[in-house]
Amino acid sequence: MSQEPAFKRRRIEDPSPAPPSTLTTVSDPMDIDAKSPSSTQADLSYDNEFSRLIGTLGKDALKRLQASKILLVGVGGLGIEIAKNIVLMGVASLTLHDTAPVAIEDLSAHFFLSPESVGKNRAEVSVARLTELNERVKISVNNATLDEKTLSEYTTVVVTNSSSRAELIRINDICHNHKISFIAGEVRGLFGFIFNDFGTFTCIDSNGEPPLTSYVESITKANPGVVTVVDTDRHELEDGQIIRLTEVQGMTELNGHEHKITVTGPYTFSIGDTSAMGDYVKGGFVEEIKVPAEHNFEAISSFFGKPLPHDKVSVSDWAKFDRCSNYHYFLQALLQYQEQKGSYPTPGSSEEAAAVASLAQEIATASAPEGETPTFDEKTTKWMTLLAKGSQGVISPMATIFGGIIGQEIIKATSSKYTPIKQFLYFDALECLPSEELTTEDCAPRGTRYDGQIAVFGNEFNEKVLNLNYFLVGAGAIGCEVLKCWAMMGLSAGPNGSIHVTDMDTIEISNLNRQFLYRPWDVTKFKSETSAAAAQVMNPELKITPWSVRVGPDTETTYDADFWGKLSGVCNALDNVKARLYMDQRCVFYQKSLLESGTQGTKGNTQVIVPFLTESYGSSVDPPAKETPVCLLHSFPNNIQHCMQWARELCFEGSFVKDADINNNYIETEGFVDSLAPTLRLSTLQTLKATMLDRPKTFEECVEWARLEFEDKFGNAIKQLLYTFPKDYVDKHGTPFWSGAKRPPTPIVFDAENELHLDYIVSASFLKAFSFGILKSEFKPADLEEKKQEIKKTLSKVTIPEFKPKSGVKIETDMKVTKVQASYDDKDEETCTAILADLPAFGSDSLSTQLMNPVDFEKDDDNNFHIDFIHACSNLRASAYGIPQVNRLKTKLIAGKIIPAIVTTTAACVGFVNLELYKLVSMESKKLEDFRNSFMNLAIPIFSQSEPIAPKKQKYLNTEFSLWDRIDIRIGDATLQEVLDYFRNEHKLDVEMLGVGQSLLYAAWAVAKAKTRLPKKITQIYEEITQTKIDREHQKYLMLEPTALDLEGNDVEDIPLVALWF
């Protein structure tokens, strides 16, 4: 449960294999390929710790970030969020500047403060806790005057609490003149802004996506020449992009050159004049070239006192597009009011807030072009007044959103990667407010840590938050951020509040740079317990119960009706769709709200599910993940992803997992072979022959096996493929077989002195020896180098049989086939019978010593041989097919299916999630249009919010219902007859069939059986059929599945869910 949900409309799954990119260029946004696939131990340690972050940023960009010097001015709620994010990512140094003492209201958003911190300097009390996050970062305090000398020491300056508009302008002007990247941002109640000034900024990669690639189908000899790509995937290129062509045969003048393209169709584009070139024969590979883009920024002073150009502001919520230009005046008015009065408006004061709106009107009028007199309408004045009333408060969700976005802008400024915000971002979440008008009495400070929240929402609302009961499912990166927000909000801190958090996972070293509640000394501890304890340190008033019990059908006696009945809502922080869908179904059944979110690198999304108001998470289904065709996987790979999948699924899983499972099933399951489908019979028995009759007994025999496997996979299989389809083979239409995406392979000649060859043998030998119990440990021995020399000696003695090609071998070439098609004939049956005769019978004494150890794949432990094997195996296959090899880290990312992750995206997503939670607190006054689903890509950057979709309505008879409606039968432990009568009397339905899950309890046409069951209780019938006893302490209902007619004998197709409560 540690991570996070590639997008559909609003949710993220495990990423599908990356597009076919095989050429490594300087523009590779992951910049993690190395000329040599090998890695030092120091590299492995660094890569392991930062693997998810490198998967997002790339190693070069990360190292530029980790050499930056940041000055952060203001360490309030927003400042500490920014600091946390950039310290976790590992900037070289962070200097804090804040002369303000801690006030009790700071505890509403500053998670490293305690009541004992009040009166102390905010920057100084933050240093120690920030240092715990990452001891590599040099963190210091400098509260000297922010003059030219001080500011010039830093690469980036971030200001989060400007005391006045004049001060903001002064600091920005110094930075602009000294070419120091400058970021300003602030959150005030439910309003926030960001401003960037990076001077003249060169962006080396605008989006961070892998370069687009395609294989060439044909190229015309014309002006302009048109390239057609293989039609398995659209090229996705746009007009004006630059591409490079390689591997073109015939029209070789194109190879190695860059071309500016014009798109002519989804599979075609033109590249300029090819009319004087040679004739195109076959082949060709297209790769996008990322061209650096220059951006010019202006200082903030050039934007004040004039209308804000539309191209200088990012829109986050199109429903509020009309506010974009007026946000600019509102910001200036807030700053001016604070400068004049020494503070923002008194919380809840309509009079003082109205003064801010009046100031904004004056600024708009003074800024207008000559001859124009802008006048705010009543709607504009109202939203400005409402935002100003809460502007003294700083709340955690808003600070979390802006801390994540500003953290990402710091990455851009320091690494030159991704497109920065140009130049303003404004945002408000006014719809979070309760419907009733708040007064100064409602919002007056109570001298508590929640005064910042009270200033925005009032005390009555705050008390509701404190007494919420929430279930957090997952304590990974999202879960940590959620608990932090809840600690600041005080969720569960009231006498009737509670939090339950569950996660089965334990903490790993790779978690530490994004799951910020964990420290190095927490590694191997349960996430749920550790995160709960960390949140209670932030706010000792929280009441949290940690669980390490996963959610699923088999734990419904743990998370039973009583458990669900006490919940206010559920927040998912999961990393897989199956668990999400299950929790979604549970929330629908118990009619509870669900907060859903997911991230993938710089992309994130959130979804709010509200009973009876919105559709559920499962209402719209993502298309299934695209399966790799059998021919690409087995015989015709054209990118490193195909090689990785082959190495992981067919070689690693096949030899060290599936073989062991088959072996052990034969030993432990009587009749195992008889239960097999005919098409699986031969392959299974051949595996049993290898594991039982021909099993290795010594480590040397494992080395011999590995050498023969090398010859079979990288020599003989390729020779057979080229025998069946020679390199000059043409199809019946005269088209060269080896063209387009098909790359003819070259058999590999084994060389024990070749590091990659030897790595394959070594890793395969150790894994084989462990799976057969020859070695007791799967980990690398201390004398591994000596063992390698012994393996070399063994290799010199291995006899390799001469390869003899076979005729009539069928090799799949159809791209539409995604499953291996197995057959079974009389000859196969003879082979099976012969193997069975030699196998020891079930229950034989000899079988007890032949159990094997299935290898449980673990990508993050460099002491095992798992990634070593897949890395060597996939790179060997790549070299055979002329596909560039990759380094070990990229192997880990792809083969380990590591989802790129970065704390900035996680933080922003969680902030948006908790804004929706605020709305749920005052649910009685909210409409569908008040809620928001959010999507963001911090790399581009894009921020998009939209209303949720209402649930689909259905009808049975004259009754309308949605997925949220249910027929609850509450007539006790009823008999079958009583239930049938209930349907007829209460719902005018005659039940034809009645089932529970897979069990059919009643069928009208089975008269005799029905007659005996009618007087019996439904629960009794169910127990008799399933031969299981209902756990009545925890299970309070059965879900009935009726098929029914109306009273006139017509079929009723749509019936709501039915629950029988007993």
Side-chain angles (χ1 to χ4, degrees), residues 837-853:
D838 292 336
L839 289 175
F842 178 80
S844 301
D845 292 341
S846 61
L847 286 179
S848 61
T849 62
Q850 299 200 46
L851 282 169
M852 292 176 62
N853 301 314

PDB file of all heavy atoms in Angstrom, residues 837-853:
ATOM      1  N   ALA A 837       5.647 -42.180 -16.055  1.00  0.00           N
ATOM      2  CA  ALA A 837       6.092 -43.504 -15.599  1.00  0.00           C
ATOM      3  C   ALA A 837       7.381 -43.411 -14.803  1.00  0.00           C
ATOM      4  O   ALA A 837       7.629 -44.230 -13.900  1.00  0.00           O
ATOM      5  CB  ALA A 837       6.275 -44.425 -16.802  1.00  0.00           C
ATOM      6  N   ASP A 838       8.213 -42.426 -15.093  1.00  0.00           N
ATOM      7  CA  ASP A 838       9.497 -42.281 -14.402  1.00  0.00           C
ATOM      8  C   ASP A 838       9.400 -41.434 -13.133  1.00  0.00           C
ATOM      9  O   ASP A 838      10.289 -41.491 -12.270  1.00  0.00           O
ATOM     10  CB  ASP A 838      10.522 -41.642 -15.340  1.00  0.00           C
ATOM     11  CG  ASP A 838      10.903 -42.565 -16.496  1.00  0.00           C
ATOM     12  OD1 ASP A 838      10.756 -43.800 -16.332  1.00  0.00           O
ATOM     13  OD2 ASP A 838      11.324 -42.062 -17.559  1.00  0.00           O
ATOM     14  N   LEU A 839       8.351 -40.613 -13.011  1.00  0.00           N
ATOM     15  CA  LEU A 839       8.237 -39.733 -11.849  1.00  0.00           C
ATOM     16  C   LEU A 839       7.872 -40.531 -10.605  1.00  0.00           C
ATOM     17  O   LEU A 839       7.102 -41.487 -10.675  1.00  0.00           O
ATOM     18  CB  LEU A 839       7.168 -38.667 -12.090  1.00  0.00           C
ATOM     19  CG  LEU A 839       7.481 -37.560 -13.105  1.00  0.00           C
ATOM     20  CD1 LEU A 839       6.260 -36.665 -13.290  1.00  0.00           C
ATOM     21  CD2 LEU A 839       8.688 -36.731 -12.660  1.00  0.00           C
ATOM     22  N   PRO A 840       8.407 -40.151  -9.448  1.00  0.00           N
ATOM     23  CA  PRO A 840       8.000 -40.820  -8.202  1.00  0.00           C
ATOM     24  C   PRO A 840       6.518 -40.548  -7.939  1.00  0.00           C
ATOM     25  O   PRO A 840       6.009 -39.466  -8.217  1.00  0.00           O
ATOM     26  CB  PRO A 840       8.891 -40.172  -7.134  1.00  0.00           C
ATOM     27  CG  PRO A 840       9.380 -38.896  -7.735  1.00  0.00           C
ATOM     28  CD  PRO A 840       9.430 -39.110  -9.217  1.00  0.00           C
ATOM     29  N   ALA A 841       5.832 -41.551  -7.421  1.00  0.00           N
ATOM     30  CA  ALA A 841       4.399 -41.433  -7.178  1.00  0.00           C
ATOM     31  C   ALA A 841       4.118 -40.477  -6.028  1.00  0.00           C
ATOM     32  O   ALA A 841       4.961 -40.260  -5.146  1.00  0.00           O
ATOM     33  CB  ALA A 841       3.816 -42.807  -6.887  1.00  0.00           C
ATOM     34  N   PHE A 842       2.917 -39.919  -6.033  1.00  0.00           N
ATOM     35  CA  PHE A 842       2.502 -39.021  -4.954  1.00  0.00           C
ATOM     36  C   PHE A 842       2.579 -39.752  -3.612  1.00  0.00           C
ATOM     37  O   PHE A 842       2.130 -40.888  -3.479  1.00  0.00           O
ATOM     38  CB  PHE A 842       1.071 -38.533  -5.188  1.00  0.00           C
ATOM     39  CG  PHE A 842       0.557 -37.646  -4.089  1.00  0.00           C
ATOM     40  CD1 PHE A 842       0.903 -36.312  -4.042  1.00  0.00           C
ATOM     41  CD2 PHE A 842      -0.251 -38.154  -3.077  1.00  0.00           C
ATOM     42  CE1 PHE A 842       0.437 -35.489  -3.021  1.00  0.00           C
ATOM     43  CE2 PHE A 842      -0.721 -37.351  -2.048  1.00  0.00           C
ATOM     44  CZ  PHE A 842      -0.369 -36.003  -2.030  1.00  0.00           C
ATOM     45  N   GLY A 843       3.158 -39.080  -2.632  1.00  0.00           N
ATOM     46  CA  GLY A 843       3.294 -39.674  -1.305  1.00  0.00           C
ATOM     47  C   GLY A 843       4.562 -40.460  -1.105  1.00  0.00           C
ATOM     48  O   GLY A 843       4.809 -40.945   0.005  1.00  0.00           O
ATOM     49  N   SER A 844       5.375 -40.612  -2.152  1.00  0.00           N
ATOM     50  CA  SER A 844       6.625 -41.368  -2.014  1.00  0.00           C
ATOM     51  C   SER A 844       7.558 -40.668  -1.031  1.00  0.00           C
ATOM     52  O   SER A 844       7.594 -39.438  -0.945  1.00  0.00           O
ATOM     53  CB  SER A 844       7.327 -41.491  -3.372  1.00  0.00           C
ATOM     54  OG  SER A 844       6.499 -42.130  -4.308  1.00  0.00           O
ATOM     55  N   ASP A 845       8.313 -41.488  -0.302  1.00  0.00           N
ATOM     56  CA  ASP A 845       9.235 -40.920   0.681  1.00  0.00           C
ATOM     57  C   ASP A 845      10.251 -40.000   0.042  1.00  0.00           C
ATOM     58  O   ASP A 845      10.656 -38.991   0.630  1.00  0.00           O
ATOM     59  CB  ASP A 845       9.959 -42.046   1.424  1.00  0.00           C
ATOM     60  CG  ASP A 845       9.010 -42.848   2.309  1.00  0.00           C
ATOM     61  OD1 ASP A 845       7.924 -42.309   2.620  1.00  0.00           O
ATOM     62  OD2 ASP A 845       9.360 -43.982   2.672  1.00  0.00           O
ATOM     63  N   SER A 846      10.679 -40.312  -1.168  1.00  0.00           N
ATOM     64  CA  SER A 846      11.734 -39.525  -1.822  1.00  0.00           C
ATOM     65  C   SER A 846      11.279 -38.106  -2.157  1.00  0.00           C
ATOM     66  O   SER A 846      12.099 -37.194  -2.308  1.00  0.00           O
ATOM     67  CB  SER A 846      12.183 -40.226  -3.110  1.00  0.00           C
ATOM     68  OG  SER A 846      11.089 -40.339  -4.022  1.00  0.00           O
ATOM     69  N   LEU A 847       9.956 -37.906  -2.259  1.00  0.00           N
ATOM     70  CA  LEU A 847       9.463 -36.581  -2.655  1.00  0.00           C
ATOM     71  C   LEU A 847       9.715 -35.522  -1.588  1.00  0.00           C
ATOM     72  O   LEU A 847       9.870 -34.339  -1.899  1.00  0.00           O
ATOM     73  CB  LEU A 847       7.963 -36.650  -2.958  1.00  0.00           C
ATOM     74  CG  LEU A 847       7.558 -37.331  -4.263  1.00  0.00           C
ATOM     75  CD1 LEU A 847       6.044 -37.327  -4.402  1.00  0.00           C
ATOM     76  CD2 LEU A 847       8.193 -36.612  -5.455  1.00  0.00           C
ATOM     77  N   SER A 848       9.751 -35.930  -0.335  1.00  0.00           N
ATOM     78  CA  SER A 848       9.892 -34.956   0.746  1.00  0.00           C
ATOM     79  C   SER A 848      11.202 -34.187   0.667  1.00  0.00           C
ATOM     80  O   SER A 848      11.325 -33.080   1.201  1.00  0.00           O
ATOM     81  CB  SER A 848       9.793 -35.656   2.100  1.00  0.00           C
ATOM     82  OG  SER A 848      10.822 -36.620   2.240  1.00  0.00           O
ATOM     83  N   THR A 849      12.198 -34.764   0.027  1.00  0.00           N
ATOM     84  CA  THR A 849      13.499 -34.086  -0.080  1.00  0.00           C
ATOM     85  C   THR A 849      13.631 -33.294  -1.378  1.00  0.00           C
ATOM     86  O   THR A 849      14.687 -32.728  -1.643  1.00  0.00           O
ATOM     87  CB  THR A 849      14.638 -35.117  -0.015  1.00  0.00           C
ATOM     88  OG1 THR A 849      14.521 -36.026  -1.142  1.00  0.00           O
ATOM     89  CG2 THR A 849      14.579 -35.903   1.280  1.00  0.00           C
ATOM     90  N   GLN A 850      12.584 -33.263  -2.192  1.00  0.00           N
ATOM     91  CA  GLN A 850      12.691 -32.619  -3.499  1.00  0.00           C
ATOM     92  C   GLN A 850      11.911 -31.315  -3.601  1.00  0.00           C
ATOM     93  O   GLN A 850      11.743 -30.764  -4.687  1.00  0.00           O
ATOM     94  CB  GLN A 850      12.216 -33.591  -4.590  1.00  0.00           C
ATOM     95  CG  GLN A 850      13.064 -34.850  -4.649  1.00  0.00           C
ATOM     96  CD  GLN A 850      12.931 -35.565  -5.976  1.00  0.00           C
ATOM     97  OE1 GLN A 850      12.981 -34.947  -7.025  1.00  0.00           O
ATOM     98  NE2 GLN A 850      12.765 -36.874  -5.921  1.00  0.00           N
ATOM     99  N   LEU A 851      11.426 -30.796  -2.464  1.00  0.00           N
ATOM    100  CA  LEU A 851      10.782 -29.486  -2.486  1.00  0.00           C
ATOM    101  C   LEU A 851      11.779 -28.410  -2.899  1.00  0.00           C
ATOM    102  O   LEU A 851      12.970 -28.482  -2.555  1.00  0.00           O
ATOM    103  CB  LEU A 851      10.209 -29.148  -1.107  1.00  0.00           C
ATOM    104  CG  LEU A 851       8.895 -29.836  -0.736  1.00  0.00           C
ATOM    105  CD1 LEU A 851       8.589 -29.615   0.743  1.00  0.00           C
ATOM    106  CD2 LEU A 851       7.748 -29.316  -1.605  1.00  0.00           C
ATOM    107  N   MET A 852      11.298 -27.429  -3.634  1.00  0.00           N
ATOM    108  CA  MET A 852      12.162 -26.358  -4.135  1.00  0.00           C
ATOM    109  C   MET A 852      11.810 -25.031  -3.471  1.00  0.00           C
ATOM    110  O   MET A 852      10.751 -24.879  -2.865  1.00  0.00           O
ATOM    111  CB  MET A 852      12.032 -26.234  -5.662  1.00  0.00           C
ATOM    112  CG  MET A 852      12.592 -27.421  -6.424  1.00  0.00           C
ATOM    113  SD  MET A 852      12.296 -27.278  -8.209  1.00  0.00           S
ATOM    114  CE  MET A 852      13.204 -25.783  -8.615  1.00  0.00           C
ATOM    115  N   ASN A 853      12.706 -24.068  -3.607  1.00  0.00           N
ATOM    116  CA  ASN A 853      12.494 -22.717  -3.071  1.00  0.00           C
ATOM    117  C   ASN A 853      12.107 -21.767  -4.204  1.00  0.00           C
ATOM    118  O   ASN A 853      12.970 -21.377  -4.997  1.00  0.00           O
ATOM    119  CB  ASN A 853      13.779 -22.186  -2.418  1.00  0.00           C
ATOM    120  CG  ASN A 853      14.263 -23.058  -1.296  1.00  0.00           C
ATOM    121  OD1 ASN A 853      13.479 -23.470  -0.445  1.00  0.00           O
ATOM    122  ND2 ASN A 853      15.562 -23.353  -1.276  1.00  0.00           N
TER     123      ASN A 853
END
